[in-house]
Amino acid sequence: MEAVGMLLNGFTDALTPINLMMAVIGVLVGTLVGMLPGLGPTSAIAILLPLTSVLGPVEGIIMLAGIYYGAMYGGSTTAILLNIPGEVSSVPTCLDGYPLAKQGRGGPALGIAAISSFVAGVLGVIGLVFFAPILANQALKFGPPEYFALMILALTVIVNLAGNSIIKGLIMGLFGYMISMVGIGPSGGQPRFDFGIDALSAGFDMISIIIGLFAITEVLKGMEEKQTAISVGKIGSVYPSRSDLRKSSKAMFRGGIIGFILGILPGCSTAVTTFLSYDIEKKMSKTPEKFGKGAIEGVAAPEAANNATSSAGFIPLFALGIPSSPPLAILLAGLMIYGLQPGPVLFEQNGSFVWTVIASMFIGNVMLLVLNLPLVGLWAKLTQIPYGVIAPIILILSFIGAYTVRNNSFDVFVALVFGVLGYFLHKYRWPVVPLILCFILGPLLEQSFVQSLSMSKGEFSIFVERPISLTILVISLVLFVISIILIRRTKTRVKEVVGTDLDISE
């Protein structure tokens, strides 16, 4: 009941004009970038991250979170109408969504996608309300050894974010930790690896690296691929019939539950949960032969799993400081820029902030449903914007954002260097999110490791002698194994559907 009371207080703050406006902007921008070619929630959040310097923490995180779960919905539009999944998690939606569109039922398919996303999103946020505080309260018992074990648990996420090669993911994670060591050390307070260069003595700026690896890289990729606008055919009415709702109601609830349960696990991506939900729904159906030919349940289940997983991902992020997806890794960076340390003390020290953001997610999901059903036609037309118009805008925003954080032209240079580096990493299929994750978490891991050894006078046994620390380390090992199994299974399904290997890290 305490959680409900705190949530009601959160609604009071979330319903203020400025916070409502940030929620509207977030879900609208998120829906748009979820559909536009060459963009996605990770890139959009990276581009807008510099706004954290002018917005307050509540307003900024409400907007960035809205972009994330708004984009999860937006990807269904092109998947259904054009058979173009914006991300791998939208591939299952293509299987039945596009056949429905070819049958002239693209509108109802989009309507079911929106309703499923809303139902699952609300279920996910309800779970967030009750699970996150419990997890955070238990984590308040943590000391340095437990925090070290928690960072190890967080780094197991690299397995899920590594794309098609775990080895490459681990190498990129090591590289991310190495560049995090440039500047003042978190434990000794002495400059490291600055090579006598004054600009390096302050270390690399997190926003510059993120902007380079995501925003500038996306422009370079788009230029190489010569991306152009896409065209959309007639949509028709987006309001599903009673028969469609009846057929898909159980599918959306099952998909939502599957997505939420697996979404709590650190690092379980939406690609895994959407394929699993689709397969389970097909096996439970009385008419499995209709799947792949235009079954409305085949749209409802993966879309519900997609949004439920996205909402559930905020539980390990807020309660433990563990991001379960690339957009949440960037959101973690945003929290730390505001001086908000996600984890056990976040609910205790910044309770008003957390509950306002959670309340805004309820509001944002309602906005998505109310705004997107009547605006589907408009969104479809906006996808016709030429990439040649979008790319210069992204570059200008990127350069301004990189400069304004510290008013330092060196940061613009860093963004350019990492933008070119990110382009080549993408070209040769090296994952960049493990780099970001280790850049953020590496100093925290180092600090807790040094503090733990100081407590034990150099004895490494402290990490296995304390029950909570040992339990977290065991859980890390178990999740590592489970992640590998789920990833291999999902890769097999992706290859069956699209006929080639795709990066499932997003």
Side-chain angles (χ1 to χ4, degrees), residues 81-97:
L81 297 180
L82 298 164
N83 203 29
I84 300 176
E87 299 180 20
V88 181
S89 59
S90 297
V91 171
T93 304
C94 294
L95 298 178
D96 286 281

Side-chain angles (χ1 to χ4, degrees), residues 155 157-177 424-438 480 491 501 503 505:
L155 292 177
V157 175
I158 290 177
V159 177
N160 297 80
L161 302 180
N164 294 324
S165 173
I166 294 175
I167 299 299
K168 287 183 178 180
L170 294 175
I171 293 173
M172 292 302 295
L174 178 61
F175 178 52
Y177 175 62
F424 284 105
L425 290 173
H426 177 268
K427 188 177 182 68
Y428 295 102
R429 304 184 75 176
W430 284 76
V432 298
V433 178
L435 185 157
I436 294 295
L437 188 62
C438 288
F480 182 82
K491 283 181 180 178
D501 290 325
D503 186 349
S505 61

Side-chain angles (χ1 to χ4, degrees), residues 337-359:
I337 289 169
Y338 280 121
L340 299 168
Q341 178 60 56
V345 298
L346 185 63
F347 281 83
E348 186 176 77
Q349 296 181 355
N350 303 100
S352 177
F353 160 80
V354 175
W355 289 109
T356 301
V357 172
I358 293 175

Side-chain angles (χ1 to χ4, degrees), residues 100 105 107-109 111-112 115-116 237-252 294-297 300:
L100 283 167
R105 303 193 67 232
I112 287 295
I115 295 170
S116 298
S237 175
V238 296
Y239 298 100
S241 65
R242 291 184 180 179
S243 175
D244 291 330
L245 291 171
R246 186 175 63 254
K247 290 178 182 178
S248 57
S249 58
K250 292 181 180 179
M252 66 178 68
I296 198 74
E297 309 96 295

Side-chain angles (χ1 to χ4, degrees), residues 254 279-288 291:
R254 277 193 291 260
D279 289 345
I280 289 176
E281 199 59 39
K282 183 177 180 180
K283 290 176 182 177
M284 295 186 67
S285 175
K286 296 179 180 178
T287 56
F291 279 71

Side-chain angles (χ1 to χ4, degrees), residues 197-219:
I197 302 174
D198 291 338
L200 289 178
S201 62
F204 290 108
D205 179 61
M206 185 187 307
I207 291 181
S208 297
I209 293 176
I210 290 173
I211 285 176
L213 288 175
F214 293 100
I216 296 178
T217 294
E218 286 295 340
V219 173

